[in-house]
Amino acid sequence: MVLIAPSILSADFGRLREEVMALEKAGADLLHCDVMDGHYVPNLTFGPAVLKSIRPYVKLDFDVHLMVKDPDKMLEWFADAGADILTVHAEACRHLDRTLTAIKALGLKAGVSLNPATSEEVLAYVLHKIDQILVMTVNPGFGGQSFISAQLEKISRIKEMIKGYDIKIEVDGGINPLTAAECIAAGADILVAGTAVFAGGDYKKNMDALR
């Protein structure tokens, strides 16, 4: 069954502890944590201190998506904060193989994210070091954007590319019950959703609809 990773960027940060506990109770499979530095993307979110503050309250894996200009210097910060998966952008890494090696050395799962204009071919020689591939179905930086349907073909190509590897395909951006079905059909294993999970406050109902 497809996994649901609510993006805490859409949570009420005034009561973040209660929000993540409610997501776990409602059946979330992992928590997606969008870290933005205001340089790689035109938005600024939160740092490791925020994640460390909520780590004791849930058992869910922290799926940390580093939308940052220099991810290498931040890997240990987020490992110490309780990350379980660290995902970096292929476009932001000068030496992607080295960055993935560093994530693995921290004892974490390694993910690589691809922007809409980036080909999956950049992953060809590092597949053996990847646990998760995050396909951006919007341009990174803000929530609430419209789904870019051209990425469905990329998901299908990646599904074919990773045959024989234990790699999950994650999709992030514009996910709702309709686009979720399209992504699952194309080969997605994990759906990241913010607005679609938090809208109306019934988290379980919303996640069940995505599944």
Side-chain angles (χ1 to χ4, degrees):
M1 182 177 289
V2 68
L3 304 179
I4 306 297
S7 171
I8 64 170
L9 193 59
S10 295
D12 178 353
F13 272 67
R15 47 189 299 275
L16 189 57
R17 179 180 71 178
E18 292 80 4
E19 289 274 62
V20 298
M21 292 172 69
L23 289 168
E24 183 172 54
K25 185 177 180 181
D29 297 294
L30 59 165
L31 291 179
H32 191 78
C33 309
D34 288 309
V35 177
M36 307 182 194
D37 65 353
H39 297 284
Y40 181 66
V41 291
N43 197 4
L44 187 65
T45 56
F46 48 80
V50 170
L51 298 188
K52 191 171 186 177
S53 72
I54 58 172
R55 178 68 279 184
Y57 300 103
V58 289
K59 296 179 180 178
L60 296 174
D61 282 354
F62 280 9
D63 175 24
V64 179
H65 178 194
L66 296 177
M67 287 176 270
V68 300
K69 187 176 181 180
D70 187 4
D72 293 313
K73 71 179 182 182
M74 301 185 187
L75 302 179
E76 288 191 22
W77 301 353
F78 286 96
D80 291 342
D84 298 283
I85 307 163
L86 281 178
T87 296
V88 296
H89 272 261
E91 306 86 355
C93 295
R94 182 171 296 179
H95 303 290
L96 180 58
D97 181 272
R98 181 179 295 164
T99 301
L100 295 173
T101 299
I103 294 172
K104 292 289 197 176
L106 291 168
L108 305 180
K109 290 184 178 180
V112 180
S113 184
L114 303 177
N115 286 332
T118 302
S119 169
E120 70 280 0
E121 293 301 324
V122 300
L123 306 175
Y125 297 101
V126 291
L127 288 176
H128 60 293
K129 295 188 176 181
I130 297 175
D131 298 289
Q132 192 164 288
I133 297 169
L134 173 55
V135 178
M136 294 299 300
T137 45
V138 299
N139 287 292
F142 295 96
Q145 298 182 64
S146 297
F147 183 84
I148 301 174
S149 59
Q151 300 307 300
L152 292 169
E153 184 181 345
K154 183 190 289 184
I155 296 168
S156 296
R157 290 197 304 266
I158 291 173
K159 192 71 173 180
E160 185 68 24
M161 183 182 193
I162 63 175
K163 282 184 176 179
Y165 292 92
D166 185 16
I167 299 175
K168 292 190 180 300
I169 299 175
E170 185 174 36
V171 182
D172 184 1
I175 298 299
N176 56 46
L178 175 61
T179 57
E182 294 176 321
C183 290
I184 294 167
D189 303 297
I190 305 170
L191 303 176
V192 177
T195 304
V197 169
F198 287 90
D202 191 336
Y203 303 161
K204 184 180 188 306
K205 179 181 177 181
N206 291 341
M207 286 189 282
D208 287 345
L210 293 176
R211 290 191 175 97

